[in-house]
Amino acid sequence: MILGIGTDLANIDRIAGVLERHGDRFRNRVFTDTEQHKAERRRDVAGTYAKRWAAKEACSKALGTGLRMGIAWKDMAVSNLATGQPVMEVTGWAKDRLDAMTPAGHEAIIHVTLTDDHPWAQAFVVIEARPIPGR
C-alpha cells in the first residue's frame, strides 16, 4: 500500500547561487557527508546538490509533514546503490515519523527517483508499506 507521495522541482541555478553565497555553511546544514562527497566528485556539482535538495523536499512531503514538525534536512539522506539507483535513508525525527505511519506487520520502503534538465532538478518519492512475510 502507498503511505505517501511527494515531488519537488528545484532550480539548479538557484542552488548554485546559494552554494556560492553560503558555501560550507549551507552544505553542512542541509547535506550529509556522503551527499557532499558524491556532489563534490561530480562534474555538475550544483545539479547534484539540487537533485538531493529536491529529494529531501519530496521525502518530507511524502512523510506528510513538509519541512516542519521537527524534521531536519539531514534526517533524510540520498545515496546510490552500485547500479547508480538512488536510495533514501531516514533517521531522527523523519525515521520516527516513518515508523509511526507504517502499519503493524509491514515494512516501509522509500522509492526515490531523480532527474535533471538544466536549469531544473526534480525528485519523486513514494513511500510503500509491504507486509512482512510470515507475520
Side-chain angles (χ1 to χ4, degrees):
M1 87 180 71
I2 302 298
L3 298 179
I5 299 171
T7 188
D8 193 66
L9 186 66
N11 185 287
I12 295 169
D13 294 333
R14 179 175 159 259
I15 297 297
V18 173
L19 286 165
E20 187 176 307
R21 283 189 309 280
H22 301 287
D24 286 342
R25 194 174 88 200
F26 171 67
R27 277 189 278 277
N28 293 332
R29 186 177 132 255
V30 175
F31 301 101
T32 66
D33 290 343
T34 300
E35 290 172 315
Q36 290 182 47
H37 289 125
K38 173 78 171 182
E40 297 299 327
R41 288 191 320 260
R42 300 298 297 264
R43 183 173 39 107
D44 183 9
V45 172
T48 302
Y49 279 122
K51 286 186 281 190
R52 278 147 181 76
W53 171 280
K56 290 168 186 269
E57 288 274 8
C59 185
S60 72
K61 292 171 185 175
L63 289 168
T65 63
L67 285 160
R68 56 182 168 79
M69 296 175 58
I71 199 166
W73 287 103
K74 287 184 172 183
D75 285 350
M76 302 164 289
V78 178
S79 61
N80 296 84
L81 300 177
T83 61
Q85 177 184 346
V87 292
M88 177 71 71
E89 179 184 353
V90 292
T91 58
W93 193 91
K95 174 73 167 123
D96 294 343
R97 171 72 179 143
L98 181 63
D99 291 345
M101 58 191 287
T102 304
H106 289 72
E107 63 179 338
I109 311 295
I110 302 174
H111 303 277
V112 60
T113 187
L114 309 172
T115 191
D116 65 289
D117 186 8
H118 196 87
W120 301 108
Q122 183 178 31
F124 192 76
V125 171
V126 175
I127 301 175
E128 172 190 13
R130 288 188 192 159
I132 298 171
R135 286 200 181 184

